[in-house]
Amino acid sequence: MKFICPKSELLNGLQVVSKAVPAKTTMTILECILVDCTQGCIKLTANDMELGIETKVEGDILEKGKIALDAKLFSEIARKLSDSDSLVTIESDEKFNTVIACENSVFKIQGKDGEEFSYLPYIERNKNITLSQFSLKEVIRQTIFSISVNDSNKMMTGELMEVTGNELKLVSLDGHRMSIRKVALKEQYSDIKVIVPGKTLGEISKILNGDNEKDVRIYFSKNHILFEFDDTVVVSRLI
């Protein structure tokens, strides 16, 4: 595998997906970020089995392939590279030895087989709603403070997301406070009622740029919810 991309693009992509790298896990492969260049684009993926994030990075693929790189080490190296306008070249061989080069800097690290990485669960994209990034960021900001941080009641660590006709409602409560926020949608949708983990909504709020002109598409399945915006996909288990 070999590709070239701007440092700013790589750094931004790593910052987005790093939010889904687990702090502690018995599966060492999950401490990695998957770099996938097999489908004509540079794709970064992280997955802690509860929350998974995938984003695309602009660049040129010189040789197809995939590799899993230690997330902490990869992010630290990316931050230490030259100016943000510089081009970064990342190359790995069949033994997963990886070279990260940028101008006068060269780093050599050992990667892992990308085939061992846990991919994001597949979700059929038929049941969905659409709203602006600004609206979603705002409704999360106005409700997330009153979710419970205590795991004794799993339901309260998430937020109720309810769609009725052309209205989206988010509800959070921690036993002392309750927050309810409603937002009008542009279209009519079939009724949906799910509980989304507070961690998922918090991380999405950080990634969204809050642009009123750009949309977020939210897809629902029996056990998962998928958020799609810009070049990023976030998949989470439901409570």
Side-chain angles (χ1 to χ4, degrees):
M1 181 194 78
K2 185 177 182 180
F3 68 89
I4 300 172
C5 69
K7 179 200 169 183
S8 56
E9 279 283 322
L10 178 64
L11 204 52
N12 185 57
L14 289 173
Q15 286 171 346
V16 169
V17 299
S18 290
K19 301 179 190 312
V21 176
K24 291 180 180 178
T25 177
T26 54
M27 297 172 65
T28 55
I29 193 70
L30 296 183
E31 294 174 343
C32 297
I33 289 170
L34 178 69
V35 184
D36 188 343
C37 298
T38 59
Q39 298 170 353
C41 61
I42 304 165
K43 203 184 290 181
L44 304 179
T45 308
N47 185 8
D48 68 4
M49 306 308 283
E50 295 287 331
L51 172 68
I53 304 177
E54 181 183 280
T55 194
K56 291 177 184 174
V57 173
E58 290 291 326
D60 296 318
I61 299 170
L62 306 179
E63 193 178 314
K64 290 185 176 182
K66 66 175 74 169
I67 194 166
L69 300 173
D70 182 272
K72 188 177 179 182
L73 192 58
F74 193 12
S75 298
E76 283 178 2
I77 289 172
R79 284 195 293 269
K80 288 176 181 175
L81 295 174
S82 306
D83 298 334
S84 56
D85 295 333
S86 307
L87 290 174
V88 181
T89 302
I90 298 180
E91 185 175 4
S92 62
D93 62 21
E94 64 278 358
K95 292 183 179 178
F96 315 117
N97 297 308
T98 304
V99 178
I100 302 171
C102 180
E103 294 188 349
N104 298 326
S105 303
V106 177
F107 295 86
K108 295 181 180 179
I109 60 174
Q110 181 64 45
K112 295 181 180 177
D113 187 356
E115 295 295 342
E116 295 177 9
F117 196 83
S118 298
Y119 283 87
L120 303 189
Y122 174 74
I123 294 176
E124 283 194 12
R125 304 190 181 192
N126 47 17
K127 195 175 185 182
N128 74 294
I129 64 170
T130 303
L131 72 161
S132 73
Q133 291 194 26
F134 174 79
S135 297
L136 182 59
K137 195 176 177 83
E138 278 296 287
V139 296
I140 293 173
R141 182 183 66 79
Q142 292 167 345
T143 55
I144 199 154
F145 66 90
S146 60
I147 65 167
S148 174
V149 293
N150 190 340
D151 278 354
S152 60
N153 188 333
K154 193 78 174 170
M155 293 282 198
M156 289 187 181
T157 63
E159 291 196 35
L160 174 69
M161 183 179 281
E162 186 173 9
V163 178
T164 311
N166 68 338
E167 182 183 83
L168 169 67
K169 180 167 73 174
L170 254 66
V171 182
S172 64
L173 58 107
D174 63 4
H176 303 284
R177 302 169 297 181
M178 175 185 278
S179 302
I180 301 174
R181 178 72 163 84
K182 298 177 182 178
V183 61
L185 302 171
K186 295 175 185 176
E187 299 176 30
Q188 294 279 338
Y189 297 97
S190 56
D191 292 356
I192 300 165
K193 187 185 279 189
V194 296
I195 299 176
V196 187
K199 179 192 172 186
T200 299
L201 294 174
E203 298 300 359
I204 284 170
S205 179
K206 292 173 192 171
I207 300 170
L208 289 170
N209 60 25
D211 192 334
N212 209 14
E213 301 298 316
K214 293 184 178 179
D215 286 340
V216 181
R217 291 169 297 284
I218 306 175
Y219 299 86
F220 302 87
S221 73
K222 185 179 178 182
N223 299 313
H224 293 88
I225 186 168
L226 182 150
F227 299 82
E228 188 176 50
F229 51 92
D230 299 332
D231 288 321
T232 302
V233 171
V234 179
V235 180
S236 171
R237 285 183 186 271
L238 295 170
I239 294 176

